[in-house]
Amino acid sequence: MHYPIRIKNIATILTSMFFAAVLASCQAAGKTEQSVPSAKLGLSKAERGERTEVTVIGMIHSGHRTSSKYPLSLIKTVVRDIKPDIILTEIPPNRTAAALSSYKDTGKVTEQRTRAFPEYTDAIIPLQQELDYVIKGTAAWTPDIASTRRAALNRIRDNPGRADQWQAWQKAQNTFRNTLNGRGDDPFFIHSKAYDQAVEARYQPYMQYFETDIGKGGWQSINRAHWANIAAELDAIKGQGKRVLITYGGFHKYWFLRELEKRSDVALTPALPYFEAANN
């Protein structure tokens, strides 16, 4: 759809005003979020009762191999401290068995999709033998979704009639990078409200302008699909008092936290205290 120039300009101005307000909020929140003292790690069995205790950790995928702030060794320490019964992962359900069996047979994860995530290949899957938790795949991504998304974004980028929309998306990404300010691999910032607010703001124009074009791979659509898989796993263990760890890329975290807060059967435990404890 082509919009009149005046409407597009108004949309761009409103988007700019929105990001300015969010950026100010993020900067203010970021100064205080990391100074919160460490809390008790997790809930006792008595405290959680029949509720499922859930912690959500935001990952940086390949960045874990190179980051000194958020290395694979830190993931291992945090997972050991959480002691989960179940880990819900960003591995598609139909790839999980192959990923786990390849490690069991050879000591290496050879499943192609899972190999993109060192948090699984080098930390969470190897640790399973030590901690004896269950690993479940809950990611809704497919190769078709990825290719459709890529083609749709290329068409939008190359369409002069949608230049203002594309510019709004680029501006949102630049604003997000400025908000990160070199903290994109800092687990203390990643597990803060300021980070979640910045990610949500980043995707506002993306959802506003591109969701219909992209379809199942749109930001709203894919998060809903991821969450549907996660919710199904939580439904299956409702009332058992299990401890669950959810591990996805950090961008998805705010969406899951918002949905988890709606569930009366879930006791949500923040991730930040575990990172603080590991840093002490």
Side-chain angles (χ1 to χ4, degrees):
M1 177 181 290
H2 298 288
Y3 299 90
I5 296 298
R6 183 175 299 174
I7 293 176
K8 289 193 292 185
N9 289 339
I10 290 173
T12 302
I13 291 169
L14 290 175
T15 299
S16 300
M17 293 172 64
F18 173 75
F19 275 113
V22 170
L23 178 58
S25 171
C26 289
Q27 289 173 336
K31 292 178 182 177
T32 59
E33 193 78 31
Q34 297 182 34
S35 62
V36 176
S38 295
K40 179 171 70 73
L41 297 182
L43 302 175
S44 67
K45 249 184 178 180
E47 287 172 325
R48 67 176 179 263
E50 294 183 353
R51 294 178 299 168
T52 304
E53 184 180 1
V54 180
T55 301
V56 183
I57 289 183
M59 299 295 183
I60 58 173
H61 302 323
S62 62
H64 290 300
R65 293 194 188 279
T66 57
S67 174
S68 60
K69 298 176 185 177
Y70 201 172
L72 290 162
S73 59
L74 179 56
I75 294 174
K76 291 179 180 179
T77 297
V78 169
V79 172
R80 284 190 176 105
D81 285 345
I82 293 174
K83 300 179 181 66
D85 297 304
I86 301 169
I87 300 184
L88 304 182
T89 68
E90 198 173 350
I91 305 171
N94 63 352
R95 304 290 187 91
T96 309
L100 297 179
S101 63
S102 66
Y103 183 80
K104 183 178 179 181
D105 294 341
T106 68
K108 292 183 179 180
V109 178
T110 57
E111 196 284 310
Q112 187 175 6
R113 173 66 177 173
T114 311
R115 284 175 59 190
F117 300 127
E119 63 265 31
Y120 301 132
T121 62
D122 295 4
I124 288 172
I125 291 177
L127 274 177
Q128 186 183 32
Q129 294 183 340
E130 173 189 330
L131 299 178
D132 195 30
Y133 44 67
V134 175
I135 295 175
K136 295 276 189 173
T138 55
W141 275 108
T142 67
D144 285 344
I145 287 175
S147 61
T148 299
R149 174 185 175 275
R150 185 165 51 249
L153 289 175
N154 287 341
R155 286 196 304 270
I156 295 167
R157 180 197 61 199
D158 297 337
N159 184 345
R162 303 183 71 172
D164 279 7
Q165 296 177 4
W166 190 257
Q167 184 180 6
W169 168 231
Q170 299 309 303
K171 184 171 183 178
Q173 294 187 82
N174 289 333
T175 300
F176 179 71
R177 282 190 287 268
N178 291 336
T179 302
L180 289 184
N181 193 26
R183 298 175 293 176
D185 67 336
D186 181 351
F188 294 96
F189 183 60
I190 290 170
H191 295 92
S192 72
K193 290 181 181 178
Y195 178 87
D196 290 342
Q197 289 170 346
V199 172
E200 184 173 11
R202 177 184 190 258
Y203 279 100
Q204 287 303 316
Y206 188 93
M207 289 191 292
Q208 179 182 355
Y209 297 127
F210 309 150
E211 193 77 17
T212 301
D213 299 271
I214 298 172
K216 291 181 179 180
W219 186 242
Q220 183 171 252
S221 298
I222 195 62
N223 275 300
R224 283 176 174 170
H226 288 327
W227 173 251
N229 289 340
I230 292 170
E233 295 295 344
L234 294 176
D235 290 343
I237 58 170
K238 188 181 294 187
Q240 298 179 24
K242 298 289 187 181
R243 179 174 285 164
V244 172
L245 173 61
I246 299 175
T247 57
Y248 269 69
F251 286 2
H252 299 283
K253 178 166 59 68
Y254 82 91
W255 194 288
F256 300 158
L257 290 174
R258 188 170 294 166
E259 295 300 323
L260 287 163
E261 287 170 355
K262 300 174 185 177
R263 295 184 63 118
S264 60
D265 63 310
V266 163
L268 194 55
T269 299
L272 188 59
Y274 288 101
F275 287 93
E276 292 175 332
N279 198 48
N280 291 334

